[in-house]
Amino acid sequence: MRESGVVGVVAVIGIALLSVVGSPAGVRGQADESNAEVVEAIEDALELFEQKRYTRAAHLYAVADELSGGTSYEALMGLARSHYALGRMGVAAEYAFEAMELGPPLAQRAEACMLIGHTYLDPVTYQDQVPGTEMLVPEREKNVNMAAGFFRQAMQYASEASPDAWLHLAQAFELAGESEAAIKLYQGYLEHDPEGEHATEVKASLKKLRED
């Protein structure tokens, strides 16, 4: 795959992360209601995130994390999303790992896995080490394989009813040049959600892969 094609697919994945996986819209009201200060900090951070004021949002999510004693999934994932939006991939992955270590429900574990997977696919070269691995980025092939592994794990957590996991795993395989695997996964997405938000995009990807 040509470099421009790789960057283009990664750009689509990044947009999908913020609009589907990483969007904090569903977080509102899910914080620990026994700590009003944590709830308020997360609410304020969410508003800033939605305004694309990511640095300030990260600061308030950090306040919420400190107030919760590191026990708030919403605060940790808010930090992960904010740092992802700021291009700090290693930091974003670290916070997502911390969120997973809290043992949240499976759907939230899937969300964290998908965000971690996306950090490996970012087109920007970054030098911080991603927790849980011994590799330093950028190593494109290894990164794509690692991303695919996290997307597979997300699929296991979310079950086959999660078409988004099929989509992102397909994109990872497309990046890796594994066309047959990508085609099967894109087809799986359409089978699970034929009229889904990304159906048109998936059909275009299928057409391109079959023509190559």
Side-chain angles (χ1 to χ4, degrees):
M1 183 180 294
R2 293 190 300 275
E3 184 73 12
S4 59
V6 171
V7 173
V9 174
V10 173
V12 169
I13 295 175
I15 293 169
L17 172 66
L18 292 178
S19 64
V20 180
V21 182
S23 172
V27 171
R28 193 182 302 275
Q30 294 181 15
D32 182 0
E33 295 182 359
S34 65
N35 190 329
E37 290 181 311
V38 173
V39 174
E40 182 178 0
I42 289 176
E43 293 281 342
D44 291 344
L46 173 57
E47 290 183 10
L48 290 167
F49 188 96
E50 291 173 340
Q51 295 167 11
K52 300 185 179 180
R53 298 169 64 185
Y54 302 126
T55 299
R56 183 61 181 162
H59 172 74
L60 284 183
Y61 279 125
V63 170
D65 180 47
E66 183 176 356
L67 288 171
S68 72
T71 62
S72 170
Y73 172 88
E74 289 80 11
L76 288 168
M77 283 303 295
L79 280 163
R81 297 184 194 98
S82 297
H83 284 287
Y84 181 93
L86 290 166
R88 300 167 183 164
M89 299 301 144
V91 178
E94 183 176 1
Y95 281 119
F97 272 111
E98 289 185 27
M100 286 186 63
E101 289 174 357
L102 295 177
L106 294 182
Q108 291 180 327
R109 294 185 197 183
E111 175 191 32
C113 279
M114 291 180 74
L115 190 149
I116 294 167
H118 281 289
T119 65
Y120 283 98
L121 297 181
D122 189 85
V124 178
T125 299
Y126 58 100
Q127 298 301 322
D128 45 340
Q129 187 169 357
V130 178
T133 77
E134 296 179 353
M135 74 173 190
L136 291 172
V137 293
E139 295 181 12
R140 184 182 297 272
E141 183 176 352
K142 289 183 180 179
N143 283 5
V144 170
N145 289 336
M146 289 296 294
F150 281 107
F151 292 144
R152 285 194 191 95
Q153 190 171 352
M155 288 178 68
Q156 293 175 355
Y157 285 140
S159 82
E160 293 186 358
S162 174
D164 288 338
W166 287 85
L167 171 63
H168 298 306
L169 184 55
Q171 290 171 324
F173 276 115
E174 183 177 355
L175 276 171
E178 299 289 341
S179 298
E180 291 186 8
I183 287 171
K184 290 180 180 179
L185 287 160
Y186 281 133
Q187 289 173 333
Y189 172 90
L190 292 174
E191 289 174 4
H192 285 87
D193 196 3
E195 303 299 327
E197 179 181 359
H198 302 285
T200 300
E201 170 193 331
V202 168
K203 290 174 183 177
S205 295
L206 278 170
K207 181 179 179 181
K208 179 179 179 297
L209 286 169
R210 288 165 174 161
E211 291 175 349
D212 287 346

